[in-house]
Every structure is written in C-alpha cells, then in structure tokens.
Amino acid sequence: MERVTEEERSRPLCLIVDDDPFVVSMMTAMMGRIGTFDVRGFVDPAAAFGEVRDGTDPPDVIILDINMPGMDGMAFFRGLSNIGYRGGLILSSGESDALLRAGEQLATSYGLQMLGSLSKPPSLERLRELLDAARADFEPSRRAPQRVTEAVELARAIDAAQFACMYQPKVDMRTGELVGVEALARWQHPDDGLLGPDAFIAQAERHGLIHRLTRRIFALALEQQARWARQGVALRMAVNASVYDIGDLAFPDYVSDLTRQHGVDPRALVIEVTESGLAQDPRILMEVMARLRMRGFHLAIDDFGNGYSTMLKLRDFSFDELKIDQAFVHGGATNERHAVIFRASVDIGRQLGMHVVAEGIEDQADWGFAAGHEVDVAQGFFVARPLAPDALLPWLAQWRERIADGEIVSRSR
Ligand code: C2E
Ligand code: CA
Ligand code: CA
C-alpha cells in the first residue's frame, strides 16, 4: 500500500471496517459522495487494526461494525485505546439500538472519541451529519502541524507558569463542615483563555509532558495549602495524579520533598488516582502506591463505578477514600439503575473502611439523596463550583450562612 507522510497528505483519512463486503462497498460509495475523505475499506478487522497500529498514516475516522467474527468491536476498542488512537470513531450495527448505545459507552470509557452510531442500512444523511459535527478537527491544513506545535506549546506553557488551579470544596455531610478542597488544573492560555483539563491532560500524557505538568500542579496546590494554613484555615488538599505518575518510581520522593518543603503534614495530602486503560506495569503501580501510603499520604480511588475504577483494584490495594463517580450521583434520586450502583458503591466503601465521597452533587435533590445514604463527604456545584484561591474564604462565610438558614439538611448518623 502506498504510504504518505502527514505533510504530503492533503485529505483526512477514513477507514471502513465491516466483515460484509457489500456494506464496505456501499459505505465507500457514500463516503465518495461526501467527498472530504480518502477512504480505505477492510473486511478483516485484524488487518484493519494492524494498519492503524503499524501504518505511518493514522486515520482520522474509523467506521466500525460492532459485530464481526474474530475481532469484534469491543476487542477493537481495547486495541485502539492501548495504542493511543486519537481519531474519531463511528459505530455501525444491524443490531438493536441498545447494543449501539452500550458500544458507545464502552468506547467512551476507553477514552475514545465517539462521533456517534449508524444503524444499518446506513443513510447518507446520518453519515454526513456525524462527520459534519466533527469536521473542524479534520481541517487538513491544521492537522499535521498541530501535533508538533501542541507539544511545543504545552512544554512552553509549563515553563512559563501558565498553569493554575481552581479549588473545589469538599464538605462533611453530617456537619456541613469544610474538610478539604480538590485542586483542579487550568491552563491560562494567552489566546484561548482559561482551558479545562480536557484540553491538555491527555495531550500532556501523549507527549511525555505529564510528569512536569503534575509536578507543577502539586507544587501550586501545596503552596496554596500552606498559605491557607498560615491564614488559620487548615485544609486537606486533594490533587489528581495520572496513572503515568503512579507508574513513576521517583514520584513518592518528589511528593515527600515537596510536603517537607512546604511544612505540610503528609496526612493532609490526598492523592486521587483514576484507573485507566493505559498499559502500565501493575507491580510498579502497587509499589508506588504502597510507598506513598507508608509515608502517610492518603490515596483516593477516583471515578469509582465508571471507566476503569472497579472492584479489581480494590481487591489488591486498600485506599483511604472512595469517590463515587458523578454519573451515579447527580439524578440518582430518580434513576433507579444509578441508585443501585450508588448504593453498592457506598456499601463497598463502608465495608472496606474507606471514607466515601459523592461527587457531582449538583442540586438539593442530589444532596438529599446522598445524605440518605452513608456518604461522608459531598463535592459538587450545589456546595460550590471550583473556586479561585481568593474566593474560598468568601464562599466559606456564605456556606456557613446557608447552614445556619437550615438550607443544608445534614445526614443522619
Ligand atoms: P475529577 O477528578 O473527577 O474532578 C471533578 C470534575 O467534575 C471537575 O472537572 C469539576 O469541575 C467537575 N464537577 C465538580 N462538581 C460538579 C457537579 O456538581 N456537576 C458536574 N457536572 N461537574 C462537576 P474538571 O475541573 O473539568 O476536571 C476534569 C477531570 O480532569 C478531573 O475529574 C480529573 O480527572 C482531571 N484533572 C483535573 N486536574 C487534573 C490534574 O491536575 N492532573 C490530572 N492528571 N488530572 C486532572
Ligand atoms: Ca479527582
Ligand atoms: Ca471524579
């Protein structure tokens, strides 16, 4: 097959993967009418996957049949996630809508960029709609150079101190008392304004810049924590770590040095860990987490119930804190399936002796729902949005008023 480099290629590339040759040729014809893409069709999913993994010309979109012999859609997602595929994904299936929805969710949980689903037989209109929605990303003139500048720009931004943290309060559900904050990274981009983590964490991981970024964020958070302590506000600080940080044997020493430097008690630092599909040596992860715990740092399992944060991890390692993913908290009072997962997560946390935190408490109903269960700590927009450092103390005064006014009904013991 002829290969082209990124600079040479003028049009984005779409792969069509379906074990039915008729579907492949029909979709190829449709893509021809849409016109934007170069198209390659595959009836053998393993061959298509090999092309994505080993080819020098990464596709921008893959249209994937979920149900194929040999390597089905699910196995394909896992593979794409393992090799860090960053393009878009469209699922197609002749099966039920429910199967397509489940496939979409699975793909999203693997960190893949889902553009949507096509029921078979596919319609030209629907295909056009899905591709249109994502078209901005395929602008060929922007594509190739962007990958290079992205890395350079990020590295410069880290050095130029363009990163900052917002701090979101965590409050005790029995007393309403402020127990800590979570540091959430933001990029003060000179042209694009304030950017959230979706705009840079995965990119930093991909370009090998995540250790530098994490260290910058930890340093900012601990500095702020020490500043608040000097103002008489003793808070537990929670900071997010990437699985790459936990896979770094030098990480515990870095964190120890930093806490010593700022005079922060290790027990007042919570390191929030999210499992991910990225292949990391589990023995190293275990070693790093065990060492952090031995030194007194607290570890939280983040996004529990969603993505990769599952029972498996808890079987092998004991965390101090379990954070139930916001997907099962907001609206839990009215969604029975979410409520079931929520209750099971609370039980697991309690029985394993962990602090249970509910994230995504957005409104009074969510608060009431969580307060009706044995949740220790609440976090979410209902309590406070992530705040700039100076906004914390004014927020605290208001929060105390809300409690005094009886707006916050505490959890029964
Ligand atoms: P997370 O650790 O689960 O953090 C909570 C996210 O939920 C934050 O989004 C927060 O703004 C948002 N949130 C808080 N309360 C509510 C609510 O009531 N409703 C809704 N819908 N959302 C709420 P943010 O700041 O955009 O961060 C997204 C994710 O990025 C974080 O999820 C975390 O996984 C990651 N992240 C943030 N900062 C860092 C960092 O310094 N390092 C690493 N590795 N990851 C980070
Ligand atoms: Ca977190
Ligand atoms: Ca979370």
Side-chain angles (χ1 to χ4, degrees):
M1 198 172 295
E2 195 187 328
R3 298 213 184 280
V4 282
T5 65
E6 292 226 12
E7 287 92 284
E8 286 172 296
R9 206 172 85 208
S10 55
R11 281 149 57 98
L13 175 67
C14 173
L15 297 194
I16 296 170
V17 189
D18 197 305
D19 61 304
D20 183 342
F22 175 70
V23 174
V24 172
S25 58
M26 183 167 65
M27 289 215 207
T28 305
M30 286 179 165
M31 290 300 290
R33 291 187 56 190
I34 291 174
T36 319
F37 292 80
D38 285 336
V39 180
R40 275 186 222 152
F42 289 86
V43 286
D44 175 3
F49 182 71
E51 178 61 28
V52 182
R53 187 189 50 205
D54 306 325
T56 50
D57 191 10
D60 300 274
V61 183
I62 300 174
I63 302 178
L64 183 69
D65 180 15
I66 304 193
N67 198 350
M68 294 176 292
M71 184 179 200
D72 64 17
M74 276 54 88
F76 212 100
F77 301 158
R78 201 174 341 104
L80 289 177
S81 166
N82 282 337
I83 60 174
Y85 171 68
R86 306 301 303 177
L89 188 63
I90 293 176
L91 300 185
S92 80
S93 167
E95 316 280 335
S96 67
D97 277 359
L99 183 70
L100 279 173
R101 291 294 97 73
E104 283 184 17
Q105 271 185 10
L106 185 64
T108 306
S109 77
Y110 273 112
L112 299 169
Q113 190 197 334
M114 269 306 309
L115 302 181
S117 294
L118 279 174
S119 306
K120 282 192 232 171
S123 84
L124 180 62
E125 277 326 298
R126 173 73 180 145
L127 186 56
R128 203 192 291 274
E129 189 183 297
L130 292 177
L131 293 170
D132 273 352
R135 187 179 300 276
D137 294 344
F138 307 138
E139 285 302 326
S141 56
R142 292 187 49 190
R143 281 182 54 257
Q146 204 175 4
R147 294 201 186 170
V148 188
T149 44
E150 183 180 85
V152 174
E153 200 191 2
L154 251 178
R156 281 209 194 113
I158 296 171
D159 292 339
Q162 286 175 14
F163 285 90
C165 289
M166 302 282 263
Y167 298 91
Q168 189 175 37
K170 292 163 100 168
V171 299
D172 188 306
M173 289 215 79
R174 269 155 295 209
T175 61
E177 194 187 333
L178 174 65
V179 291
V181 292
E182 176 178 1
L184 295 161
R186 297 290 181 266
W187 179 359
Q188 285 161 332
H189 194 282
D191 305 322
D192 300 344
L194 198 65
L195 302 178
D198 288 351
F200 54 82
I201 295 291
Q203 289 79 344
E205 289 177 340
R206 188 162 68 234
H207 296 301
L209 293 166
I210 190 69
H211 294 324
R212 279 165 67 188
L213 181 58
T214 301
R215 287 168 188 222
R216 181 49 64 84
I217 299 299
F218 269 70
L220 285 168
L222 277 131
E223 209 177 294
Q224 185 58 51
Q225 187 181 17
R227 196 173 301 132
W228 276 322
R230 285 195 298 275
Q231 297 171 357
V233 186
L235 286 175
R236 206 168 248 184
M237 178 64 72
V239 195
N240 294 283
S242 155
V243 71
Y244 287 105
D245 299 312
I246 305 298
D248 171 15
L249 286 167
F251 188 60
D253 282 342
Y254 170 76
V255 181
S256 294
D257 290 347
L258 196 65
T259 41
R260 214 171 298 122
Q261 186 189 326
H262 289 287
V264 168
D265 180 348
R267 281 165 305 183
L269 180 65
V270 184
I271 301 173
E272 298 194 358
V273 182
T274 314
E275 227 173 327
S276 86
L278 302 167
Q280 294 281 311
D281 185 340
R283 289 164 304 185
I284 303 225
L285 300 179
M286 214 55 92
E287 181 175 338
V288 168
M289 291 199 298
R291 195 164 289 144
L292 287 167
R293 274 206 90 185
M294 283 188 299
R295 295 185 187 178
F297 299 108
H298 282 218
L299 291 182
I301 182 158
D302 211 346
D303 300 340
F304 188 77
N306 209 352
Y308 291 81
S309 289
T310 56
M311 288 288 296
L312 280 178
K313 193 109 178 204
L314 295 179
R315 186 195 60 193
D316 298 326
F317 193 82
S318 67
F319 289 83
D320 303 276
E321 181 176 311
L322 179 147
K323 299 190 79 174
I324 304 176
D325 193 88
Q326 53 195 40
F328 306 106
V329 177
H330 175 56
T334 51
N335 183 321
E336 189 47 30
R337 290 185 76 85
H338 288 185
V340 166
I341 296 172
F342 181 88
R343 280 193 289 269
S345 305
V346 174
D347 278 352
I348 289 168
R350 292 247 73 86
Q351 286 176 30
L352 293 178
M354 291 182 277
H355 266 94
V356 177
V357 181
E359 289 193 279
I361 305 264
E362 281 192 17
D363 50 35
Q364 185 89 53
D366 295 341
W367 176 281
F369 172 66
H373 297 82
E374 288 185 82
V375 173
D376 300 302
V377 171
Q379 185 180 347
F381 297 164
F382 177 68
V383 178
R385 297 209 162 239
L387 303 168
D390 292 346
L392 186 78
L393 296 181
W395 165 82
L396 187 56
Q398 279 178 3
W399 174 247
R400 289 191 171 136
E401 272 173 35
R402 285 171 71 189
I403 294 174
D405 291 350
E407 191 197 329
I408 315 301
V409 180
S410 67
R411 174 195 137 187
S412 53
R413 277 151 210 269

